[in-house]
């Protein structure tokens, strides 16, 4: 940094960086404090040259706090005669040095340049975490990141990312569980749990379960191989009444249904098509009236559990 003022004879002053051999004639000193006998010339703004790199051009720029300053650039110690502006477009590797002159005093800074630009081409499934620490969920082609090697060389990397979107959700309808992703190359269903058991022959988008449990599907596309979320299925079996002459009416219904000809004490459960429990009650009479006031239109199942046998009937709710 070049000091703030020149001073008249006999005054103390502060000064700093200087490499001009004629410094004494202008009041520029290496020492931070000194006594000098000089003639007052100018108020000199402080300058502190710093060279920085902008990757976009690329462009090397020297900053100095003085509009009167002049600039001269060097490459590996060789004068670049035409480079006398504050910025330079580097076109070769090497050490770029700028010399800033103000009222006969000089200061300099340098930058080792070995710029390399490259593109990181990436295909990923659903998301990708890059070297910048960010996780991307969609395609990008304009994200950049600068790297500095141990030798001080700079590289600018551009991410060109294509995300292959695969829906890993599943849907349940009755005893069927389906992958939400259509068009996969292949599907393979597994029973979730500690063993995560492979299910032989369950290789379609939809699998009809044979018992209650949680199930997941491995989805294979041209690029991705991913495991879906686990989905719970409550198995609904439509058993024969085994001698019971149980009847359910009206069907379809809108306000209520009647389950008739029950025997003994029974637990009654109403399930939706995903197997979710909607209503439950205990029936001790042979006829049970059930309100449908809180049910929306759709298909439902009613399970009648006597403790020793389980009977399931299907009914439809219509709303007008």
């Amino acid at each position: 940094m070049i000091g703030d003022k020149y001073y008249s004879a006999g005054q103390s002053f502060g000064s700093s960086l200087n490499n001009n051999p004629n410094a004494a004639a202008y009041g520029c000193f290496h020492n931070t404090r000194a006594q000098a006998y000089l003639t007052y010339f100018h108020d000199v703004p402080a300058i502190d040259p710093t060279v920085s790199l902008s990757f976009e051009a690329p462009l090397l720029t020297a900053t100095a706090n003085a509009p009167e300053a002049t600039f001269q650039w060097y490459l590996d110690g060789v004068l670049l005669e035409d480079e006398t502006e504050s910025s330079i477009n580097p076109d070769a590797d090497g050490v770029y040095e700028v010399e800033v002159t103000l009222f006969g005093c000089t200061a300099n800074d340098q930058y080792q340049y070995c710029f390399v630009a490259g593109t990181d081409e990436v295909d990923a499934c659903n998301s990708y975490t890059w070297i910048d620490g960010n996780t991307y969920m969609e395609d990008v082609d304009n994200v950049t990141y600068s790297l500095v090697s141990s030798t001080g060389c700079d590289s600018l990397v551009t991410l060109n990312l294509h995300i292959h979107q695969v829906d890993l959700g599943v849907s349940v309808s009755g005893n069927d569980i389906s992958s939400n992703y259509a068009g996969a190359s292949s599907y393979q269903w597994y029973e979730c749990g500690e063993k995560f058991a492979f299910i032989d022959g369950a290789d379609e988008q939809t699998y009809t379960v044979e018992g209650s449990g949680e199930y997941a599907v491995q989805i294979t596309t041209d690029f991705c191989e991913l495991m879906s979320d686990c989905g719970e299925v409550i198995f609904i079996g439509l058993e024969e009444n085994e001698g019971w002459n149980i009847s359910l009416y009206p069907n379809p219904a809108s306000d209520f249904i009647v389950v008739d000809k029950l025997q003994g004490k029974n637990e009654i459960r109403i399930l939706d098509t995903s197997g979710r429990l909607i209503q439950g009650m205990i029936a001790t009479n042979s006829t049970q009236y059930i309100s449908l006031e809180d049910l929306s239109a759709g298909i439902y199942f009613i399970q009648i559990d006597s403790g020793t046998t389980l009977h399931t009937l299907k009914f439809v709710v219509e709303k007008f």
Side-chain angles (χ1 to χ4, degrees):
M1 180 180 290
I2 298 176
D4 293 335
K5 287 179 181 285
Y6 292 114
Y7 290 85
S8 59
Q11 289 184 308
S12 297
F13 69 99
S15 65
S16 57
L17 180 65
N18 170 63
N19 62 1
N20 191 316
N22 299 316
Y26 295 95
C28 304
F29 288 83
H30 290 289
N31 299 328
T32 56
R33 299 288 297 175
Q35 295 289 327
Y37 298 91
L38 304 169
T39 302
Y40 183 91
F41 284 18
H42 301 284
D43 284 341
V44 182
I47 61 171
D48 187 5
T50 301
V51 180
S52 59
L53 174 67
S54 170
F55 282 109
E56 294 179 2
L59 191 69
L60 287 171
T61 300
T63 57
N65 302 328
E68 302 93 342
T70 60
F71 301 85
Q72 178 61 63
W73 289 90
Y74 298 80
L75 173 58
D76 293 332
V78 178
L79 175 72
L80 302 174
E81 293 185 1
D82 296 330
E83 300 297 344
T84 57
E85 302 295 331
S86 61
S87 296
I88 185 174
N89 292 106
D91 56 6
D93 294 347
V95 177
Y96 285 80
E97 182 175 356
V98 64
E99 183 179 78
V100 182
T101 301
L102 182 64
F103 301 130
C105 300
T106 62
N108 53 40
D109 190 29
Q110 59 184 345
Y111 194 100
Q112 181 171 343
Y113 176 83
C114 45
F115 178 79
V116 178
T119 301
D120 191 7
E121 301 280 352
V122 177
D123 284 86
C125 302
N126 288 354
S127 66
Y128 181 72
T129 301
W130 198 39
I131 55 176
D132 60 0
N134 294 319
T135 298
Y136 298 91
M137 310 294 290
E138 56 187 21
D139 293 358
V140 296
D141 59 7
N142 58 354
V143 177
T144 59
Y145 187 74
S146 60
L147 299 171
V148 180
S149 72
S150 59
T151 61
C153 294
D154 296 280
S155 298
L156 182 70
V157 184
T158 299
L159 175 62
N160 188 1
L161 171 65
H162 176 58
I163 293 290
H164 299 261
Q165 299 288 352
V166 179
D167 188 341
L168 298 181
V170 294
S171 301
V172 176
S173 178
N175 293 333
D176 291 337
I177 183 168
S178 301
S179 168
N180 291 346
Y181 182 78
S185 302
S186 66
Y187 301 90
Q188 178 57 57
W189 288 93
Y190 292 79
E191 187 171 0
C192 300
E194 293 183 3
K195 296 183 178 180
F196 213 80
F198 175 93
I199 303 174
D200 189 29
D203 54 7
E204 302 290 339
Q205 184 178 354
T206 298
Y207 170 57
T208 301
V209 306
E210 298 178 355
S212 297
E214 291 189 340
Y215 299 87
V217 61
Q218 180 176 287
I219 302 167
T220 302
T221 71
D222 291 340
F223 186 81
C224 304
E225 185 174 279
L226 298 169
M227 188 66 69
S228 77
D229 303 328
C230 289
E232 183 178 11
V233 182
I234 298 177
F235 182 75
I236 301 171
L238 296 175
E239 296 93 345
E240 296 294 332
N241 286 339
E242 299 179 0
W244 287 21
N245 192 21
I246 297 175
S247 60
L248 181 151
Y249 59 88
N251 190 9
S254 58
D255 300 318
F256 66 92
I257 55 173
V258 178
V259 183
D260 200 8
K261 300 179 182 178
L262 296 171
Q263 299 179 17
K265 181 179 178 181
N266 296 275
E267 181 180 357
I268 295 179
R269 297 183 290 267
I270 295 178
L271 311 174
D272 64 13
T273 55
S274 68
R276 183 169 60 94
L277 178 65
I278 305 299
Q279 263 179 253
M281 65 204 71
I282 300 297
T284 56
N285 298 320
S286 61
T287 301
Q288 182 72 36
Y289 292 84
I290 301 173
S291 172
L292 305 178
E293 179 181 358
D294 297 330
L295 270 64
S296 57
I299 298 174
Y300 295 87
F301 296 91
I302 184 166
Q303 287 185 339
I304 304 162
D305 188 352
S306 68
T308 57
T309 58
L310 178 67
H311 307 278
T312 306
L313 303 172
K314 182 169 70 174
F315 67 96
V316 177
V317 175
E318 295 179 341
K319 297 292 184 178
F320 301 100

